[in-house]
Amino acid sequence: MVTSVGMTSAVSSSSSGASMAPASSAPAHTPVPSPSPMPTTSMPMMPAPSVGPTPTPASPAAVMPECLRSIAAQLGESLTAANFNEAFQQVLSLTELEGVVYMCRTCEPSAAAPELSQLVLLSLLSQLNTYMQEGKMMPGTPESSAVLSWIAEGAEAVDPSDQQFSAAARSILDGLNQTLRDTLTSVPGHADYNAVRRSAMAVHLALRAL
């Protein structure tokens, strides 16, 4: 009997101990840290493209007038060879003012004027004076710019020591001087005022040197 009771007590005690043991708890949930925000970098501002001054459009190339078609081949050869004296002589012999103005636009006066003989140079200045006197020069055009540049450079190229043409030079320059002065006084606000004034000064100085 004692043994039975002891076993019963042992079993009871064992069962009671088992029931008193704490239940195993589930593993604790570890929170996942939120990703740290990516550093923001501002995009560098691209500099605005620099805008320069609007280029001035170039003057259209001079078109050979009909009056020069008959000598186009010879004229082309002279100009290709930089024989300005021969080229101008060919054109001046036609006494066509349109052809003379074409030559003034085609040839750079600073390079060509010193190459002309005094006879050809004075003939050119005389025909340019006629061109202005007849009112054919339109202010502010490529033609007027070329003509005035040639008058200024041509006057500077007149040789005061050449006694053979001194009388003719004085007469032609006197006429040009008067025409240029009339242009300055008769047309207020002339589009080519500075160029006319420069040409008048060059002619005046050439006259004083004779």
Side-chain angles (χ1 to χ4, degrees):
M1 292 295 292
V2 174
T3 305
S4 176
V5 172
M7 290 181 64
T8 303
S9 298
V11 171
S12 176
S13 175
S14 173
S15 299
S16 175
S19 62
M20 291 297 291
S24 60
S25 59
H29 176 71
T30 304
V32 178
S34 59
S36 57
M38 295 292 291
T40 58
T41 57
S42 58
M43 294 295 291
M45 296 294 292
M46 297 297 292
S50 59
V51 179
T54 304
T56 304
S59 301
V63 178
M64 179 178 286
E66 189 64 33
C67 63
L68 298 183
R69 299 295 181 183
S70 61
I71 62 169
Q74 304 96 302
L75 184 59
E77 291 176 2
S78 298
L79 291 175
T80 300
N83 190 339
F84 299 114
N85 192 72
E86 182 177 284
F88 271 94
Q89 191 170 17
Q90 292 168 350
V91 174
L92 290 167
S93 64
L94 300 176
T95 62
E96 292 282 355
L97 295 178
E98 189 179 6
V100 174
V101 174
Y102 166 80
M103 287 295 292
C104 289
R105 286 197 60 191
T106 303
C107 303
E108 176 60 40
S110 60
E115 301 298 320
L116 303 184
S117 68
Q118 290 297 292
L119 178 61
V120 171
L121 177 62
L122 293 173
S123 177
L124 172 62
L125 292 175
S126 177
Q127 291 197 32
L128 292 181
N129 187 35
T130 301
Y131 178 76
M132 292 187 66
Q133 286 178 333
E134 292 182 357
K136 295 182 178 181
M137 190 178 78
M138 301 301 294
T141 62
E143 289 77 15
S144 67
S145 177
V147 166
L148 291 169
S149 293
W150 262 97
I151 290 175
E153 296 287 347
E156 292 177 2
V158 172
D159 184 3
S161 65
D162 192 334
Q163 297 300 315
Q164 182 180 358
F165 296 105
S166 59
R170 185 174 289 104
S171 175
I172 291 169
L173 291 175
D174 267 332
L176 262 176
N177 188 50
Q178 189 60 51
T179 301
L180 292 167
R181 288 180 177 277
D182 290 344
T183 301
L184 287 175
T185 56
S186 63
V187 188
H190 196 285
D192 298 311
Y193 180 85
N194 289 334
V196 174
R197 188 175 180 182
R198 173 178 175 256
S199 298
M201 179 60 68
V203 170
H204 174 71
L205 293 176
L207 275 170
R208 289 186 58 183
L210 290 174

